[in-house]
Amino acid sequence: MGLVKAGSLALLPPGSVSEAVLDGTPYAICNLEGGIHALSGTCPHACGPLGQGVLREHMIVCPWHEWAFDCRTGESPYDARIKVERFRVILKGDDILIDA
């Protein structure tokens, strides 16, 4: 798919998460202290919507069953073998572009 717009910095303040659905695929976009991270938007536990979760410190927490993943690495804090895919992020002005 290449680089696609997944959101706007103006709508993603530090400490927040948003969901972007691109070509039918959900992504979770996190603003961790000004650093933007993009992850698969589907929790591997029960396919919950990670992009509708919350950030707790550097962890994105799924709203369904509170499974957590480090938004910087995609890894679970409980088992590093459990992870969600990460995607490269490029900022262009106010646009958040991800390499989907």
Side-chain angles (χ1 to χ4, degrees):
M1 190 183 309
L3 288 174
V4 291
K5 183 176 177 180
S8 166
L9 282 174
L11 300 175
L12 188 69
S16 67
V17 178
S18 71
E19 181 177 57
V21 179
L22 307 170
D23 205 23
T25 302
Y27 298 88
I29 314 299
C30 307
N31 184 337
L32 179 64
E33 300 172 356
I36 308 301
H37 304 274
L39 304 157
S40 168
T42 304
C43 180
H45 170 239
C47 299
L50 284 177
Q52 295 175 26
V54 296
L55 275 182
R56 291 190 188 138
E57 297 180 9
H58 58 275
M59 307 300 286
I60 183 171
V61 180
C62 181
W64 284 8
H65 301 107
E66 296 194 357
W67 276 44
F69 302 90
D70 188 323
C71 70
R72 303 166 299 180
T73 65
E75 294 180 356
S76 164
Y78 307 108
D79 187 341
R81 295 172 297 172
I82 301 172
K83 58 179 72 175
V84 292
E85 187 175 3
R86 294 187 65 243
F87 299 90
R88 182 172 63 108
V89 174
I90 294 177
L91 301 177
K92 188 172 184 179
D94 187 54
D95 293 340
I96 300 168
L97 307 174
I98 64 172
D99 194 358

